[in-house]
Amino acid sequence: MEPFSSKYYHSFCNVYLFLLGTSTALNLKVPSELIHGVKGRPLIIPVEYSFNTTVCEIQITWLLNKPDSKSTLLVTAKNRSVIPDLEYQHKVSLSPLNASLLIKELHTGDEGEYTVKVTIQGKHTESQSHKIQVTVDVPVTKPLVHMEPHLGAVEYIGNLTLRCSVRNGTRISYHWLKSGVNIEAGSRYSFSLNKQMFFISPVTKEDIANYSCVVKNFVSQQESEPITPNIYYGPYDLTVNSDKGQKGEVFTVDIGEVILLFCSADSNPPNNYSWFQRFNNETVVITRGPHFEIKAENTAQRTAKYVCCAYNNITGKKDETQFTLVITASGQEKLSQKGSSLPSLAVITAMSLFVIVSMVIIFLWKRCHPHKVIKQKLYSGTQSDYVRTQTFSGHEDAMDDFGIYEFVALPGGSEPSKVSSNKTVSSSSSAQCQDTHTTIYEVISHVPDPL
């Protein structure tokens, strides 16, 4: 029986074989000679074949060759009839049209070398065969990284060992990454035979990074969570800074001002800090801690030398830096200027208040004592006004007339008639008197004489 009877297909095959200059009637193809399968999953081993002649029978045979065992017949097919081996009848199946083998569920025992053989019979009998290697692997699980010692190591003294462990997986290969970059063996880096263990000897500060282990096989790949080793180092780069933004070996501060100093260094664990002052070839402990506050005093000594010391309890190393504090006089001048400006401002303020209060008192005094104004006007008048006042008051003594008066202006026509009759008044004088107003000082209240 002819599975492929298309005239077009036969014509194409004849032309193809003619161009190749070969007389082979059967063509068997295997896409890959190595196939990796996953345990517990199905697997198809693909095979294709073709022929360029008329055939009457086609036979397909699959064999399994295991290490240290004989070949086992899995299945055979003749034309469209498939006959599996009784041992594998529920495990494999065959499609005669393309000779591909299906393994329904892979097991570890299914690993080995598979052989496919295709035979055609027409005018002539011809056969071809191929071998395919099949592996069966268990997927890897996520690995874990363990560090020894887990508390860490001291720089240039201690060593570290990182070990990668996986619960499940077959044919596992191990790879190590440092901050995402593959690690190669070097002067301080080394691995075990299968790279499951990674060694650092000795450790340095540069070894502080994220380390991870990558495990893989033919069918899977997993990466562990990163782990950062604890490495004790330092102190390094000891510096002193101030709250005024100054740093270095010299700090300036004005008299009377306060400066806050900060001592810092790169270290693990954090350093213990101590502050010393050097005076007359002696070193005196001032305080402990990373901060130190100094108040500039007005003393004859305008410079002082200090030392900040950093000590790491784990590494046993220490470092110190010396700096000089310079006290300037600009602060004292500012204080003196500020002190001299305060009295001047006080004097000006006091004088202003005195003027304002005096004006208010004068204003109120004038409002409440109008007789003083009257008295000033009386004394500033002419002698004739005084005589006239005395005449109208009826008293000869001015002290008797002391009191509060009311000014009343009368027209000239109502001039009193108490003028002496023996005196002659001229017509011109009479005319002037008619135009003149007469003032009467009437006593409103009498102020008694002082005792």
Side-chain angles (χ1 to χ4, degrees):
M1 182 177 182
E2 182 179 347
F4 303 99
S5 59
S6 174
K7 294 182 179 180
Y8 174 78
Y9 180 77
H10 287 294
S11 300
F12 175 78
C13 289
N14 291 332
V15 174
Y16 177 74
L17 293 175
F18 175 77
L19 293 174
L20 291 177
T22 178
S23 61
T24 303
L26 178 62
N27 185 19
L28 183 61
K29 293 182 179 180
V30 176
S32 177
E33 294 182 354
L34 177 61
I35 298 176
H36 302 288
V38 180
K39 183 180 178 180
R41 297 181 184 179
L43 175 67
I44 297 178
I45 305 176
V47 176
E48 296 178 358
Y49 70 95
S50 61
F51 45 85
N52 59 355
T53 184
T54 302
V55 298
C56 57
E57 289 185 358
I58 302 175
Q59 185 179 10
I60 303 172
T61 304
W62 277 94
L63 302 174
L64 173 58
N65 300 317
K66 294 183 180 181
D68 301 330
S69 64
K70 297 179 180 180
S71 298
T72 303
L73 178 63
L74 299 177
V75 64
T76 182
K78 189 175 182 180
N79 297 334
R80 291 182 177 274
S81 178
V82 178
I83 305 173
D85 185 81
L86 292 179
E87 185 180 356
Y88 294 94
Q89 61 181 343
H90 301 296
K91 295 182 62 175
V92 299
S93 64
L94 179 64
S95 176
L97 296 180
N98 58 13
S100 297
L101 179 67
L102 171 63
I103 304 174
K104 298 178 181 180
E105 185 178 353
L106 277 178
H107 296 279
T108 306
D110 297 329
E111 188 174 272
E113 185 181 67
Y114 289 76
T115 302
V116 58
K117 181 180 179 182
V118 178
T119 304
I120 61 173
Q121 185 176 8
K123 294 181 180 182
H124 303 281
T125 301
E126 186 174 347
S127 64
Q128 289 189 7
S129 64
H130 277 290
K131 295 181 179 182
I132 303 101
Q133 187 69 35
V134 175
T135 62
V136 180
D137 289 311
V138 177
V140 295
T141 55
K142 190 170 184 176
L144 296 176
V145 177
H146 305 274
M147 182 180 65
E148 297 176 2
H150 64 278
L151 294 179
V154 179
E155 185 182 30
Y156 298 118
I157 299 176
N159 304 324
L160 282 178
T161 299
L162 303 180
R163 181 171 56 87
C164 186
S165 62
V166 184
R167 177 173 297 181
N168 296 321
T170 56
R171 277 187 282 266
I172 302 174
S173 61
Y174 297 88
H175 306 271
W176 291 92
L177 303 178
K178 178 182 179 181
S179 300
V181 180
N182 190 50
I183 301 176
E184 300 293 342
S187 59
R188 296 186 300 109
Y189 294 167
S190 59
F191 303 94
S192 61
L193 186 61
N194 61 352
K195 287 191 174 183
Q196 186 178 1
M197 302 179 71
F198 170 51
F199 308 100
I200 305 176
S201 177
V203 296
T204 65
K205 177 186 174 183
E206 288 71 22
D207 295 326
I208 300 177
N210 292 330
Y211 293 87
S212 60
C213 172
V214 177
V215 294
K216 61 176 66 175
N217 58 14
F218 295 114
V219 295
S220 61
Q221 176 176 323
Q222 293 282 352
E223 182 177 355
S224 68
E225 293 293 334
I227 184 173
T228 303
N230 190 17
I231 299 176
Y232 304 105
Y233 66 91
Y236 295 130
D237 303 326
L238 181 63
T239 58
V240 177
N241 301 327
S242 73
D243 58 343
K244 304 180 184 302
Q246 305 179 43
K247 61 181 180 179
E249 298 181 354
V250 178
F251 296 86
T252 59
V253 61
D254 296 334
I255 296 177
E257 292 187 351
V258 177
I259 183 171
L260 183 61
L261 301 175
F262 307 90
C263 194
S264 62
D266 186 14
S267 175
N268 181 41
N271 299 298
N272 294 325
Y273 296 95
S274 301
W275 299 84
F276 303 88
Q277 183 177 9
R278 291 181 176 175
F279 181 74
N280 293 334
N281 296 327
E282 294 184 0
T283 302
V284 181
V285 180
I286 302 175
T287 184
R288 301 184 186 276
H291 304 152
F292 177 38
E293 186 177 84
I294 303 176
K295 183 176 181 180
E297 303 292 344
N298 188 6
T299 59
Q301 184 181 5
R302 292 302 178 92
T303 61
K305 292 184 179 181
Y306 296 90
V307 177
C308 174
C309 180
Y311 178 73
N312 189 320
N313 291 330
I314 302 298
T315 63
K317 296 181 179 180
K318 68 176 181 179
D319 191 11
E320 64 180 33
T321 180
Q322 178 176 318
F323 62 93
T324 303
L325 183 68
V326 179
I327 302 175
T328 62
S330 58
Q332 188 176 14
E333 294 176 357
K334 292 179 182 178
L335 291 176
S336 60
Q337 292 176 1
K338 184 177 180 179
S340 61
S341 61
L342 288 177
S344 302
L345 182 61
V347 171
I348 296 174
T349 303
M351 292 180 63
S352 301
L353 291 175
F354 177 76
V355 172
I356 294 173
V357 172
S358 300
M359 294 178 65
V360 172
I361 292 174
I362 293 173
F363 176 76
L364 294 176
W365 184 267
K366 288 184 178 181
R367 295 281 300 216
C368 298
H369 301 80
H371 61 279
K372 290 186 177 182
V373 179
I374 297 172
K375 188 176 180 180
Q376 292 177 0
K377 290 185 178 181
L378 287 175
Y379 281 103
S380 62
T382 59
Q383 185 66 26
S384 60
D385 293 334
Y386 174 75
V387 173
R388 183 180 299 177
T389 302
Q390 187 179 20
T391 303
F392 282 103
S393 64
H395 300 280
E396 294 180 357
D397 189 359
M399 295 299 295
D400 296 335
D401 298 331
F402 183 78
I404 299 175
Y405 294 84
E406 180 180 359
F407 298 89
V408 180
L410 297 179
S414 61
E415 183 181 359
S417 59
K418 292 183 181 182
V419 182
S420 177
S421 60
N422 58 356
K423 292 183 180 180
T424 305
V425 181
S426 62
S427 59
S428 61
S429 298
S430 176
Q432 291 178 357
C433 291
Q434 291 177 359
D435 297 334
T436 303
H437 293 280
T438 302
T439 303
I440 297 176
Y441 297 86
E442 182 179 359
V443 177
I444 298 176
S445 64
H446 181 72
V447 179
D449 296 334
L451 296 178

